[in-house]
């Protein structure tokens, strides 16, 4: 039920994002979704890719600092209030969302959101207990 995400710490300067994407592309690594957060000096590029280990290896070989994190992919009804429904369920169970971002592909009629929780197992149990569909990593990597 977990999805592997890599986080790359990059300097906030011209060409660094292009360099990361070129390295991955040349290695045959497909980016499935991403999120970029920045400050004035550096950024954190969070990626879900089709081959996490290859991505980590090629980026580390080129001098990038890369870490792996487990996140959760959840189908969300693609309608007004769909995201609010899930967030209310999590809030009622005392689960904090550290960050989240949207996945590029839809899953049938639903949107897919990526979540990082402070209590991942509890979040998965809460969501599945309320009949929300938590997607396995293998399904996400091949979408």
């Amino acid at each position: 039920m977990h999805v592997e995400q890599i986080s790359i710490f990059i300097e906030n300067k011209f060409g660094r994002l292009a360099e990361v994407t070129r390295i991955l592309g040349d290695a045959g690594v497909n980016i499935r979704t991403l999120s970029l957060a920045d400050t004035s000096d550096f950024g954190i590029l969070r990626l879900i890719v089709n081959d996490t280990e290859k991505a980590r290896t090629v980026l580390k070989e080129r001098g990038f600092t890369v870490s792996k994190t487990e996140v959760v992919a959840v189908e969300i009804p693609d309608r007004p209030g769909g995201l609010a429904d899930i967030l209310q369920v999590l809030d009622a169970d005392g689960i904090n969302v550290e960050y989240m971002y949207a996945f590029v592909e839809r899953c049938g009629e639903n949107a897919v959101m990526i979540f990082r929780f402070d209590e991942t197992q509890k979040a998965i149990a809460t969501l599945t207990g309320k009949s929300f569909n938590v997607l396995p990593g293998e399904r996400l990597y091949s979408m």
Side-chain angles (χ1 to χ4, degrees):
M1 294 295 220
H2 298 265
V3 176
E4 291 183 344
Q5 168 192 273
I6 59 171
S7 297
I8 304 113
F9 298 90
I10 55 177
E11 294 172 273
N12 193 359
K13 68 178 194 180
F14 181 80
R16 292 299 274 174
L17 186 58
E19 181 181 4
V20 168
T21 59
R22 177 53 41 217
I23 291 167
L24 294 174
D26 289 347
V29 175
N30 190 21
I31 299 170
R32 302 306 304 140
T33 192
L34 65 85
S35 170
L36 180 63
D38 71 328
T39 66
S40 59
D41 297 326
F42 70 94
I44 300 173
L45 177 61
R46 295 180 172 110
L47 301 173
I48 295 175
V49 298
N50 67 325
D51 190 337
T52 303
E53 288 310 311
K54 183 188 275 187
R56 287 180 69 202
T57 299
V58 298
L59 289 168
K60 283 184 175 188
E61 286 173 354
R62 297 291 294 271
F64 287 92
T65 301
V66 183
S67 64
K68 183 169 69 170
T69 308
E70 289 187 341
V71 293
V72 179
V74 183
E75 283 187 52
I76 296 179
D78 192 7
R79 60 168 172 70
L83 178 58
D85 292 344
I86 285 184
L87 294 175
Q88 286 174 339
V89 164
L90 295 166
D91 184 53
D93 215 13
I95 298 168
N96 182 46
V97 176
E98 293 181 3
Y99 58 82
M100 59 187 241
Y101 53 96
F103 190 73
V104 213
E105 296 285 331
R106 291 170 54 107
C107 190
E109 293 300 311
N110 294 319
V112 177
M113 292 293 293
I114 307 300
F115 291 89
R116 170 77 173 158
F117 300 110
D118 60 349
E119 298 178 77
T120 302
Q121 288 307 116
K122 183 178 178 183
I124 291 171
T126 296
L127 291 168
T128 56
K130 295 288 186 179
S131 300
F132 289 104
N133 190 21
V134 176
L135 300 172
E138 297 75 29
R139 182 159 176 211
L140 205 65
Y141 309 140
S142 65
M143 288 179 91

